[in-house]
C-alpha cells in the first residue's frame, strides 16, 4: 500500500507540449478505460461515456475543430485555424470524457458531474501509473457548441475533460501545492478550531 501512497503523493501531470509517441497499446488503452469506469457513482447510473481519438482520427477530428474555431473566431487568421487542426495530434491518444447526467428522482446532477470528474482523475492516474504522461485539459473545445455538435453530444451532455496521453519527452518540475493547514479545519467538541 505504501507504493500507491507514494505514487499519489508524487504524481503530476505532464503538459501536452512535452508529450511524444508512443501512446498506450490497445490492451493498455482498454485498461485505462476500465479503470476510468471504476469510480464512485451514486445510484450506479454510469453518467459518463468515452470518445477516443488516436491515429488518423485525431487529424480527422481536427477538421471539426478548425471549422468550429473559424466559426467562433471570425477574425482568426489561416495560421491559427491550421493550428487547431493539429490540436488533438499533440498527443498519441486523446480521451474525451463526456458527462452524461440523467434526470433522477434521487441523484442530483451535481453528484453525477462529480462522478465524471472522478473518471477523469482515474484515467489520469492509471495513465501515469502505466508510465505514460497525461494531462486533463478542457480548453475552448470543451465549451464550444460547434465542437459539442461534432461530438454528437446530447442536450444535457458536457465534456468533463479531454485527457491527453503519451510518453513524457521531459520530466516536468513540480508545481506549488496548497498549504494543507490553510485549507483544513478540524472540528472538536467546542466547534471548529480557531473559534
Ligand atoms: C477540469 C479541469 C480542466 C483543466 N483544463 C486545463 C486547461 O484547459 N488548460 C490548462 O493548462 N490546464 C488545465 N487544467 C489543469 C491541468 O490539467 C492540471 O491540473 C495541472 O497541469 C496540474 O496537474 P497535476 O496536479 O496533475 O500536476 C485543468 C484541470 C482540470 C481539473
Amino acid at each position: 500500500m505504501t507504493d500507491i501512497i507514494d505514487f499519489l503523493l508524487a504524481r503530476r501531470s505532464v503538459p501536452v507540449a512535452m508529450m511524444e509517441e508512443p501512446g498506450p497499446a490497445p490492451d493498455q488503452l482498454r485498461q485505462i478505460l476500465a479503470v476510468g469506469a471504476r469510480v464512485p457513482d451514486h445510484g450506479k447510473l454510469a453518467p459518463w461515456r468515452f470518445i477516443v481519438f488516436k491515429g488518423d482520427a485525431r487529424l480527422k477530428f481536427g477538421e471539426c475543430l478548425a471549422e468550429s474555431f473559424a466559426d467562433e473566431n471570425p477574425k482568426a487568421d489561416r495560421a491559427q485555424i491550421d493550428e487547431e487542426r493539429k490540436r488533438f495530434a499533440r498527443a498519441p491518444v486523446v480521451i474525451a470524457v463526456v458527462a452524461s447526467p440523467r434526470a433522477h428522482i434521487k441523484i442530483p446532477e451535481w453528484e453525477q458531474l462529480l462522478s465524471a470528474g472522478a473518471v477523469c482523475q482515474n484515467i489520469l492516474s492509471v495513465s501515469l501509473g502505466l508510465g505514460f504522461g497525461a494531462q486533463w485539459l478542457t480548453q475552448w473545445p470543451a465549451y464550444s457548441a460547434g465542437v459539442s455538435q461534432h461530438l454528437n453530444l446530447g442536450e444535457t451532455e458536457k465534456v468533463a475533460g479531454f485527457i491527453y496521453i503519451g510518453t513524457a519527452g521531459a520530466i516536468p518540475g513540480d508545481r506549488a501545492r496548497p498549504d494543507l493547514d490553510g485549507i483544513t479545519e478540524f472540528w472538536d467538541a467546542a466547534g471548529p478550531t480557531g473559534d
Side-chain angles (χ1 to χ4, degrees), residues 10-16 87 90 117 120-121 124 128 134-143 159-164 172-177:
R11 58 124 233 112
R12 82 142 306 189
S13 298
V14 173
V16 69
R87 178 171 288 279
R90 293 178 295 169
C120 292
Q121 181 59 29
L124 189 66
L128 299 174
Q135 190 177 24
W136 175 355
L137 296 177
T138 42
Q139 301 181 311
W140 71 268
Y143 302 103
V159 172
F162 294 106
I163 318 295
Y164 290 70
D174 204 1
R175 48 157 41 194
R177 302 292 167 174

Side-chain angles (χ1 to χ4, degrees), residues 76-117:
D77 60 30
R78 179 58 43 202
Q80 287 171 306
I81 296 168
D82 281 345
E83 211 43 45
E84 291 305 330
R85 270 183 238 289
K86 295 183 269 179
R87 178 171 288 279
F88 278 15
R90 293 178 295 169
V93 171
V94 180
I95 301 174
V97 176
V98 178
S100 302
R102 53 212 66 175
H104 192 280
I105 191 163
K106 191 166 144 229
I107 322 290
E109 182 186 72
W110 166 238
E111 295 189 8
Q112 299 181 46
L113 299 178
L114 289 172
S115 182

